[in-house]
Amino acid sequence: MLNKVVWTIGAIVLACCIAVTFFVIDTELNDLEQSRSEPAVALTHPNVASSSPKPKQPDILTYWTNQEKKSAQSGYSEAAAAYQNRIAAYSAGLPSISPLTYDWSSIQSPSAEMELYLRVPMTTESTHLAKHEPASGTYIGMLGADRRVGYDVTKIEDVYGRKHALYLAYVGWRKVQSDTNTYFPTRTAERVKELGGALQIGWEPRFGLDDVLDDEYVRRFAREAKASGIPIFLRYASEMNGAWVPWHGSPQQYIEKFRLVHDIMAEEAPNVAMVWSPNFSPSNTIDDYYPGDSYVDWVGFSLYNTPYSADKEQLKGTVIDTFAPLYERYRHKPIMISEGAIAHTYLPTNQTYWSWSEGQLGYMYGLLPRLFPQVKAITYFNFSRAQAIRTNRAYVYDIGENPFIDGLYQRLIQSDWFISKVETGVDPISYRYTPVTGQSLPTGKQTVLVYPKLENERGEPPFAIAIYQGNQLLGASYEAPWEIDIQVNAESASEPWYAIAYNDKMEPTAVSKK
């Protein structure tokens, strides 16, 4: 479906550097969750069909208007000005353009390569679901290490506007939880249970694989996991493909130990789903560590996007470029982004990439789960500036410290696509997206999705994407996931379709035509 991405050595080095710092603090982390939305002012656009999948969501102009006010009240003057510019561009409307006669060669450097997808009914398949797997949709999860939540998972819904399904905690190997005298994070589990949630645990054999034994420590941990009475996703010894963790280096021994832990959990804790979770990079050694389908309930990936690679600014592309080849290899299993985030601040220079990170977040939460429907969970690694500085990190991921992604995250997770409670077999989505390869579109009312694969060096997504058939405008969208409701008339069904991307000056920057 998507072109395979070839990663540079610089990107691999960056991934290793990121993951090293993650490992250093992994054993310090524990908890998670929630948000707030503002009342909307009813505003409309005169000539474009709404692309919002949920009626209760404010339209894009209302959203921008509310965000402009919120940013101004919070002292984010640059963000407020940016929203004002968007409102002005939107109000000016799409330019009059004739796709059939426009000189497309005038676009010297296209901003995106666009692919069109059509919404079609979900086919009925009698597929076996893994432990805790939904039939469709994506669980939303979070590590609540951000400034506003501060590891108190009970705050996540109030802060982020929706209940989350998964809460991420890390557990050091052979570490006693002093407040409960347990090996399992019992106190965190109790709080998660009160929220009706599930717990994802990063369980890390920090003393190396030789110390992973069928002993009382592992058995007691399993029994305490069962006693928690909640769904557990056990991400045992993750990022094993990276040299920054002490359980890296011997794939065969890793497989042996993963299978051992699996068998103990199967015997002692039936509520535990085993998650095998490599880092997205280096990708060439991932397969060597796979324990086998019989031992893996879920496949997870650490997936991050940062504005620097090997100490050089690199903004081109998206997390989808990174993820696509991994998905193709493991799509026979339910997949989770077990931890992932978009960096918006580079601490060595204190340079911010607020607008860029907003666009990238749209790809992670808007497009990625729709293009890759086996992605059944995404957990955001919500880590504050203070925590990043304390642990000597290069990036800030905290959603609340960037007004653009703060608003967008809360907006995106309101979609019916995202699930707030872990329930095996829950099935909220009755459709899927299939690529449009021909010249024509089906007649009648349709919903299409446009995937703008970014080609520009600044990683700038389109401001607007419009669909035309011949010279007729069918509809437009101003936000990820670029879903557009259209009406295709029988008399014009044979006309070629065009997807046209516009910048915020309403200039065409890319076209995909059939």
Side-chain angles (χ1 to χ4, degrees):
M1 178 173 63
L2 302 173
N3 295 331
K4 190 171 184 179
V5 178
V6 178
W7 278 89
T8 63
I9 295 298
I12 294 174
V13 171
L14 173 64
C16 294
C17 293
I18 294 171
V20 169
T21 58
F22 288 165
F23 172 65
V24 170
I25 58 111
D26 271 350
T27 56
E28 300 177 8
L29 304 178
N30 254 332
D31 290 347
L32 335 85
E33 170 134 33
Q34 273 126 4
S35 154
R36 176 176 32 245
S37 59
E38 287 198 359
V41 182
L43 299 173
T44 59
H45 191 278
N47 61 358
V48 176
S50 170
S51 63
S52 174
K54 294 186 73 175
K56 70 178 183 180
Q57 277 286 82
D59 62 77
I60 189 63
L61 188 56
T62 302
Y63 168 67
W64 284 341
T65 300
N66 289 336
Q67 285 298 109
E68 185 273 328
K69 293 177 180 177
K70 191 174 182 178
S71 297
Q73 291 169 357
S74 301
Y76 293 121
S77 58
E78 291 185 11
Y83 284 118
Q84 290 171 1
N85 290 339
R86 296 180 190 184
I87 293 167
Y90 184 95
S91 300
L94 295 171
S96 298
I97 192 170
S98 172
L100 294 176
T101 59
Y102 189 84
D103 180 16
W104 297 111
S105 64
S106 63
I107 302 176
Q108 299 296 323
S109 300
S111 62
E113 176 186 332
M114 291 185 291
E115 299 175 359
L116 189 66
Y117 291 78
L118 182 69
R119 181 182 292 187
V120 298
M122 187 79 76
T123 55
T124 303
E125 299 178 1
S126 57
T127 56
H128 172 72
L129 295 177
K131 192 176 296 186
H132 309 324
E133 180 185 358
S136 67
T138 303
Y139 297 134
I140 45 174
M142 183 175 284
L143 170 72
D146 55 310
R147 179 181 58 183
R148 294 179 299 192
V149 171
Y151 294 102
D152 182 355
V153 297
T154 64
K155 293 181 179 179
I156 291 180
E157 185 172 359
D158 287 339
V159 174
Y160 293 102
R162 189 170 180 188
K163 174 180 166 58
H164 285 50
L166 282 173
Y167 303 86
L168 173 57
Y170 294 89
V171 176
W173 196 258
R174 301 194 185 281
K175 181 178 180 181
V176 175
Q177 310 296 316
S178 57
D179 58 342
T180 55
N181 193 32
T182 58
Y183 293 132
F184 184 81
T186 300
R187 187 70 67 215
T188 299
E190 289 172 348
R191 296 165 74 187
V192 168
K193 187 174 184 177
E194 291 174 359
L195 295 169
L199 192 59
Q200 184 207 146
I201 297 175
W203 199 22
E204 305 184 324
R206 53 184 170 165
F207 305 118
L209 292 173
D210 288 340
D211 193 43
V212 179
L213 306 169
D214 185 351
D215 59 9
E216 178 57 21
Y217 167 69
V218 177
R219 292 279 174 175
R220 181 177 159 191
F221 184 97
R223 292 192 296 270
E224 290 169 348
K226 178 183 178 181
S228 71
I230 61 174
I232 302 294
F233 294 83
L234 187 58
R235 183 158 57 105
Y236 166 75
S238 62
E239 301 186 359
M240 75 303 294
N241 57 313
W244 52 86
V245 296
W247 48 91
H248 167 81
S250 175
Q252 192 54 48
Q253 187 184 24
Y254 176 88
I255 290 171
E256 173 190 331
K257 299 299 185 178
F258 191 100
R259 291 177 175 179
L260 171 66
V261 172
H262 167 277
D263 290 346
I264 294 173
M265 294 299 152
E267 181 181 338
E268 300 275 9
N271 59 322
V272 169
M274 291 296 295
V275 182
W276 176 76
S277 186
N279 194 50
F280 72 92
S281 179
S283 62
N284 61 321
T285 60
I286 287 176
D287 298 345
D288 298 340
Y289 287 88
Y290 189 62
D293 288 351
S294 298
Y295 297 89
V296 173
D297 295 309
W298 287 62
V299 170
F301 289 102
S302 297
L303 185 65
Y304 290 83
N305 204 359
T306 60
Y308 272 74
S309 174
D311 297 323
K312 183 178 180 181
E313 188 180 73
Q314 203 293 110
L315 303 177
K316 186 177 179 180
T318 71
V319 289
I320 292 180
D321 301 327
T322 309
F323 181 69
L326 302 175
Y327 181 83
E328 291 306 313
R329 281 147 60 180
Y330 293 102
R331 61 184 302 173
H332 64 289
K333 288 285 187 179
I335 296 175
M336 65 166 58
I337 306 305
S338 46
E339 62 174 67
I342 307 297
H344 59 74
T345 301
Y346 184 55
L347 285 173
T349 61
N350 208 33
Q351 184 172 359
T352 59
Y353 293 84
W354 283 2
S355 182
W356 174 84
S357 63
E358 179 191 27
Q360 295 294 321
L361 190 77
Y363 279 84
M364 177 176 277
Y365 279 86
L367 284 160
L368 188 144
R370 289 167 174 82
L371 295 178
F372 307 112
Q374 276 298 100
V375 174
K376 301 292 183 73
I378 303 179
T379 296
Y380 194 86
F381 190 87
N382 207 11
F383 207 66
S384 70
R385 172 188 291 265
Q387 293 274 40
I389 292 173
R390 184 177 65 82
T391 54
N392 198 31
R393 295 189 179 209
Y395 299 104
V396 179
Y397 299 106
D398 190 336
I399 292 171
E401 297 184 42
N402 176 346
F404 291 111
I405 65 172
D406 189 20
L408 183 61
Y409 179 79
Q410 296 181 48
R411 183 169 174 82
L412 287 170
I413 65 172
Q414 293 302 322
S415 167
D416 288 333
W417 198 283
F418 292 105
I419 307 169
S420 292
K421 183 176 177 60
V422 171
E423 296 179 275
T424 301
V426 63
D427 193 14
I429 307 301
S430 61
Y431 58 86
R432 61 185 176 89
Y433 283 104
T434 184
V436 176
T437 56
Q439 187 177 33
S440 62
L441 294 169
T443 59
K445 293 182 178 179
Q446 310 289 341
T447 299
V448 295
L449 177 147
V450 183
Y451 165 42
K453 184 175 183 180
L454 299 186
E455 298 292 328
N456 62 90
E457 295 298 324
R458 299 302 300 170
E460 294 175 349
F463 176 73
I465 297 177
I467 300 292
Y468 299 79
Q469 193 159 37
N471 284 325
Q472 179 188 5
L473 172 65
L474 299 183
S477 176
Y478 292 78
E479 60 180 336
W482 309 107
E483 292 173 317
I484 307 173
D485 296 326
I486 63 174
Q487 171 74 44
V488 180
N489 298 323
E491 59 269 21
S492 60
S494 61
E495 293 285 327
W497 61 263
Y498 296 81
I500 301 176
Y502 296 91
N503 61 20
D504 59 3
K505 297 179 178 61
M506 288 304 184
E507 300 166 337
T509 60
V511 61
S512 178
K513 53 185 177 177
K514 292 291 184 180

